[in-house]
Amino acid sequence: MDFTPTEEQTVAQGLAAQIFGDLATHERLAAAGTGTDSELWKELCAAGLTAAVEEIGLLGLVLLLEEQGRTTAQVPFAVTCAYGLLAIAEHGTDEQRQRLLPPLRDGTAVATGAFPARDGLRADGEGRLSGSVAYVPWLRDATLVLVADADRALWIVRTADPGVAVTPVETTAPWSAARLALDRAPGERLGGPAGRTGTGSATGTAAYGAVLAASRTAFAGLQAGVCAGSLARAVAHTTTREQFGRPLSTNQGVLLRAADAHMDTEAIRVTVYEAAWRRDKGLPFAAQALTAAWWASEAGKRVVHAGQHLHGGTGADLDHPVHRHFLWGRQLDAYLGCGSEVLEELGQLLVKEVSQ
């Protein structure tokens, strides 16, 4: 394994760090409330970062999402890339790729996903979808939603079509979320009718599993950035805040707590890198994606709690920037499966592999 970024990945990460650092400021985040920063989203797309994801792969996307997580920038970057660009590029037909990818690349279209699959979503013989999903991230901004029916077939739904209802909901993190309700809404089968797909793409449940694994990896990368940002703020606070005539960082308890948070953050990062690298190399990565998701859930909780605790009374201020990391960390803890759920799924997968 070699996780060394390519030149293209390094350049893209540096550009993302610059844009997020310059524009995702505390003042702009406060002004955005629970909505999306549309100007930041336009800047990212104009810089070509969304379009670059197809070239730099899932590992490159993880590097970009780390930079978003460091600043908790409120843009639909992860969902558009994971459920839109990468999913359609890998599993769509040639015609779907030619038609759907260009607007996703330039930001005129926004994609999200109703993942993981809910058995309540049903598709009839005419490709009409019915059912509801209580929470879909960035659905308020989305023009396309990737959904899975009870048989785990993947469908593309347009939010502007008849039979599609989008009702805003508020969640822990400000992700412009909404409830999705479908009433015989028209759907387009990803890969074409009857599971017909583009060259080299998976079909049926395999496509669903591949998209879910890639999404878990991407959001675990976002969690790595959230944790790194929380820890950086805690370090800055404890090295400048003094108590009894010396910095808080000189206290052994503070040092140990920060060190544990650093190791947890690195564990998330390295497991994410492995899963993303294997996917980009065309290797099986379902188990690695579940491992990364487990670390993102379990360790992510510990890190964002530590970041807030190390701020002392300041961390109790809901308007303090570190509180955003806490909210994002807790949201990412449960999104796409909490620690116990993905651990159970990982165990079942390993048992299945051993028995084959």
Side-chain angles (χ1 to χ4, degrees):
M1 294 180 290
D2 183 5
F3 304 149
T4 304
T6 64
E7 182 179 354
E8 292 79 6
Q9 290 170 340
T10 300
V11 170
Q13 184 182 21
L15 180 58
Q18 179 181 346
I19 294 174
F20 284 126
D22 289 345
L23 297 182
T25 62
H26 173 61
E27 293 73 22
R28 288 175 66 95
L29 288 168
T34 61
T36 293
D37 187 335
S38 58
E39 291 303 316
L40 174 55
W41 177 239
K42 291 177 182 178
E43 188 71 23
L44 290 169
C45 296
L49 288 176
T50 47
V53 169
E54 294 171 75
E55 297 297 326
I56 61 179
L58 184 55
L59 180 55
L61 174 59
V62 164
L63 296 174
L64 303 186
L65 291 177
E66 279 192 74
E67 301 304 328
Q68 180 185 0
R70 290 179 199 274
T71 59
T72 61
Q74 293 170 199
V75 287
F77 192 40
V79 287
T80 293
C81 293
Y83 299 123
L85 287 162
L86 292 182
I88 294 171
E90 183 174 2
H91 304 292
T93 64
D94 290 339
E95 188 278 332
Q96 286 175 329
R97 288 192 285 267
Q98 293 171 6
R99 172 168 48 89
L100 299 174
L101 289 179
L104 290 171
R105 292 173 185 140
D106 63 23
T108 54
V110 173
T112 187
F115 275 62
R118 308 297 181 192
D119 292 335
L121 286 178
R122 306 172 305 279
D124 62 22
E126 299 176 352
R128 300 274 177 173
L129 297 159
S130 299
S132 64
V133 180
Y135 152 72
V136 180
W138 281 287
L139 181 58
R140 292 181 230 170
D141 303 319
T143 53
L144 304 174
V145 187
L146 187 65
V147 303
D149 62 22
D151 296 323
R152 302 302 186 259
L154 296 178
W155 300 83
I156 300 169
V157 174
R158 290 162 180 80
T159 56
D161 281 348
V164 180
V166 175
T167 306
V169 297
E170 298 301 335
T171 59
T172 302
W175 285 3
S176 295
R179 180 179 183 269
L180 176 68
L182 304 177
D183 183 12
R184 288 186 51 79
E188 177 183 353
R189 181 76 175 265
L190 183 63
R196 193 167 61 248
T197 56
T199 303
S201 60
T203 59
T205 57
Y208 166 76
V211 172
L212 179 58
S215 302
R216 280 173 164 158
T217 303
F219 279 93
L222 186 60
Q223 180 76 302
V226 169
C227 291
S230 175
L231 183 57
R233 291 188 182 279
V235 169
H237 175 79
T238 56
T239 54
T240 56
R241 184 68 175 265
E242 292 191 357
Q243 187 178 58
F244 305 117
R246 62 178 185 175
L248 290 172
S249 60
T250 60
N251 295 321
Q252 188 178 44
V254 172
L255 289 170
L256 293 174
R257 191 79 186 276
D260 286 342
H262 171 73
M263 294 305 296
D264 273 336
T265 302
E266 289 304 301
I268 299 171
R269 180 179 287 119
V270 73
T271 52
V272 171
Y273 285 3
E274 181 183 7
W277 176 84
R278 289 181 64 89
R279 183 264 184 194
D280 291 344
K281 292 296 183 181
L283 300 171
F285 73 107
Q288 287 75 18
L290 287 167
T291 302
W294 182 84
W295 274 104
S297 176
E298 295 295 316
K301 281 185 294 189
R302 292 195 294 266
V303 174
V304 296
H305 275 267
Q308 192 152 7
H309 290 167
L310 288 173
H311 277 76
T314 305
D317 182 359
L318 301 185
D319 294 324
H320 194 279
V322 77
H323 189 63
R324 292 195 191 92
H325 293 270
F326 176 79
L327 294 178
W328 278 60
R330 292 313 309 256
Q331 186 77 35
L332 286 162
D333 154 38
Y335 181 56
L336 298 180
C338 66
S340 58
E341 290 176 315
V342 296
L343 187 61
E344 179 183 10
E345 192 175 337
L346 176 59
Q348 293 172 348
L349 177 61
L350 295 177
V351 168
K352 181 179 179 180
E353 289 180 351
V354 171
S355 62
Q356 287 180 343

